Amino acid sequence: MAVSYKDLGLVNTKELFKKATEGKYAIPAFNFNNMEQMQAIVQACVETKSPVILQVSGGARKYANQTLLRYMAQGAVEYAKELGYNIPIVLHLDHGDTFELCQSCIEYGFSSVMIDGSHHSYEENVALTRKVVEYAHKYDVTVEGELGVLAGIEDDVVAEHHTYTQPEEVQDFVSKTGVDSLAISIGTSHGANKFKPEQCTRNAEGILIPPPLRFDILEAIEKKIPGFPIVLHGSSSVPQQYVKTINDNGGKLKDTIGIPEDELRRASKSAVCKINIDSDGRLAMTASIRENFIQHPEWFDPRQYLGPAREELKKLYAHKTVNVLGSAGKA
Ligand SMILES: [Zn+2]
C-alpha cells in the first residue's frame, strides 16, 4: 500500500533549502516519535511561522510504527491548518543505513530521506548514496548524504571520534551521487555528552566552553560547492537548566556539554540550511516530567505530566526557530 507524500500534504526539501540558503537561515529538523512531541513541534512552528522538518530515525520508526507515522505526518499537516497556518512540513528519515530502509520509508509517505554511508569506504558511500538517489528521485523525494563522521551516540549511530569532512571530496561526491543536500562533520556531535570536560575550557563563571566548530572547514566546503545545501547533525545546545532540573530531581546526567547557540546562529547564516536538534527535546521533556513526579507524587494520569512536558518542548522549539535558526516568519 504505497502512498506518495504529496497525497499526505507534505513537501520535500528542495524549495525550502533554496529559500533558506538565499535568506541565510536554517530549517529546524526536530526528531519525534510520539504524539506530544509532534504536537509541540507543530504548535511552535505554526506560532512562529517556521517551516519544519519532522525527523524520524530508523529506531524511532520501529518504536512508533511505520503505519502510524504515516498518519501522524498527515495529521501534522491537517493540525497545522487547524491551528491557523499552513506551514511547509517535511517528513524525513534520519540516518537511513540501507537502501531497503530508504525505499520502505518512501513507500510509506516520507518526502525526504538520509542515506548515511559515512561509515563505509568513500567508493561504497558513493555507490550506496547514488542507488538511493536514483530510486528517490523517481518519486520526487529528496536525499541527504553524509561525508565525514560525527563523534557521539544517537540511537544506533555510534562513533568514538570525529572524522572531519574533507573539502577536497565534496564536489566529487555531490556530482557522482546527485544528492540534494550534504551532512558534514565540523565538530558537532551526537547525544547530550558532546565533549569531554578535558576538551573544554572554563569561562569566568566556571561554565565549560567546548572547542569551537571548524568554520574554516565549512568555508572551504562552501567554496567547493557554492550554494549547495549543507546539513549539521548533532546540534543540540544541551541547556544546563534542564540538566540541573533533571539532576535536582533524582536524575544522574554527567558531563553534559552541547554546541553554543551563537555558533549555530552563525552557521545558520552560511550554506547550512538544515540543523538537527534531538537531545535538547529529550532533556526538556525529561526535566519537566522528573520535576512533576517529585512535586506531585499523587499524580497518575499521564496527561498531568505529559501536558506540561509538551508545553516545555513547545517553548524550546519556538526559541530555536526565533533565536537560533532564524527560520521564524519564513513559512
Ligand atoms: Zn545525526
Side-chain angles (χ1 to χ4, degrees):
M1 46 135 251
V3 64
S4 165
Y5 70 84
K6 292 174 184 172
D7 296 331
L8 306 182
L10 300 162
V11 298
N12 69 22
T13 59
K14 200 156 239 149
E15 197 60 25
L16 296 188
F17 285 174
K18 193 167 165 283
K19 286 186 188 160
T21 308
E22 289 165 2
K24 300 198 179 304
Y25 59 92
I27 314 280
F30 297 134
N31 289 68
F32 87 110
N33 50 54
N34 71 34
M35 185 185 74
E36 281 78 7
Q37 292 168 326
M38 189 271 267
Q39 288 172 318
I41 295 169
V42 174
Q43 288 170 8
C45 292
V46 165
E47 268 181 33
T48 62
K49 293 190 165 56
S50 170
V52 70
I53 297 170
L54 290 174
Q55 188 159 269
V56 181
S57 66
R61 190 171 182 250
K62 270 190 213 136
Y63 176 86
N65 176 274
Q66 57 203 24
T67 303
L68 276 176
L69 269 180
R70 164 200 160 161
Y71 289 101
M72 283 176 86
Q74 188 173 18
V77 172
E78 296 304 322
Y79 182 46
K81 286 186 206 162
E82 192 181 308
L83 291 174
Y85 204 75
N86 191 9
I87 54 169
I89 298 179
V90 175
L91 180 63
H92 175 79
L93 170 67
D94 194 17
H95 289 287
D97 55 351
T98 62
F99 171 79
E100 290 73 22
L101 176 59
C102 293
Q103 184 181 33
S104 171
C105 284
I106 291 166
E107 286 172 356
Y108 276 86
F110 281 61
S111 59
S112 178
V113 294
M114 175 192 192
I115 178 69
D116 179 1
S118 63
H119 296 269
H120 299 294
S121 71
Y122 179 78
E123 288 73 25
E124 285 168 334
N125 188 1
V126 168
L128 176 61
T129 306
R130 174 78 228 157
K131 190 178 173 193
V132 170
V133 168
E134 278 172 2
Y135 180 81
H137 282 186
K138 279 195 275 189
Y139 302 94
D140 211 12
V141 168
T142 40
V143 180
E144 175 184 324
E146 178 163 332
L147 269 180
V149 180
L150 270 66
I153 302 174
E154 186 186 44
D155 287 0
D156 304 332
V157 182
V158 183
E160 188 76 20
H161 303 287
H162 295 294
T163 309
Y164 293 120
T165 306
Q166 296 177 33
E168 305 73 49
E169 288 182 346
V170 295
Q171 202 170 14
D172 184 67
F173 185 82
V174 164
S175 70
K176 278 188 181 151
T177 59
V179 280
D180 302 282
S181 60
L182 183 66
I184 61 165
S185 172
I186 57 165
T188 60
S189 173
H190 288 129
N193 307 82
K194 297 191 186 299
F195 306 96
K196 298 195 169 62
E198 53 269 28
Q199 292 174 283
C200 303
T201 50
R202 277 184 200 279
N203 71 6
E205 288 100 55
I207 294 169
L208 288 169
I209 307 296
L213 296 181
R214 292 289 304 271
F215 282 98
D216 57 319
I217 298 178
L218 174 60
E219 278 159 27
I221 291 169
E222 286 187 83
K223 282 204 185 100
K224 298 279 184 190
I225 43 174
F228 192 81
I230 301 295
V231 176
L232 287 189
H233 281 241
S235 297
S236 281
S237 296
V238 189
Q240 291 300 302
Q241 80 267 22
Y242 292 144
V243 175
K244 185 174 184 312
T245 303
I246 289 170
N247 288 343
D248 285 349
N249 290 280
K252 271 190 185 149
L253 296 181
K254 267 185 70 187
D255 298 341
T256 51
I257 302 163
I259 311 293
E261 289 187 334
D262 54 348
E263 295 209 309
L264 298 172
R265 188 79 207 90
R266 179 176 166 193
S268 301
K269 292 175 181 166
S270 70
V272 170
C273 59
K274 170 176 180 271
I275 291 189
N276 293 2
I277 296 170
D278 187 1
S279 296
D280 284 354
R282 297 179 182 199
L283 291 167
M285 201 165 191
T286 301
S288 172
I289 290 173
R290 272 199 176 276
E291 193 171 36
N292 276 318
F293 274 175
I294 297 293
Q295 285 179 7
H296 304 280
E298 74 285 5
W299 281 3
F300 69 99
D301 178 345
R303 290 172 297 184
Q304 289 173 306
Y305 51 86
L306 290 179
R310 184 174 62 191
E311 258 325 287
E312 197 56 54
L313 271 180
K314 181 185 158 186
K315 262 199 286 181
L316 169 80
Y317 293 137
H319 162 69
K320 297 288 184 186
T321 69
V322 173
N323 301 315
V324 186
L325 309 190
S327 62
K330 307 295 185 186

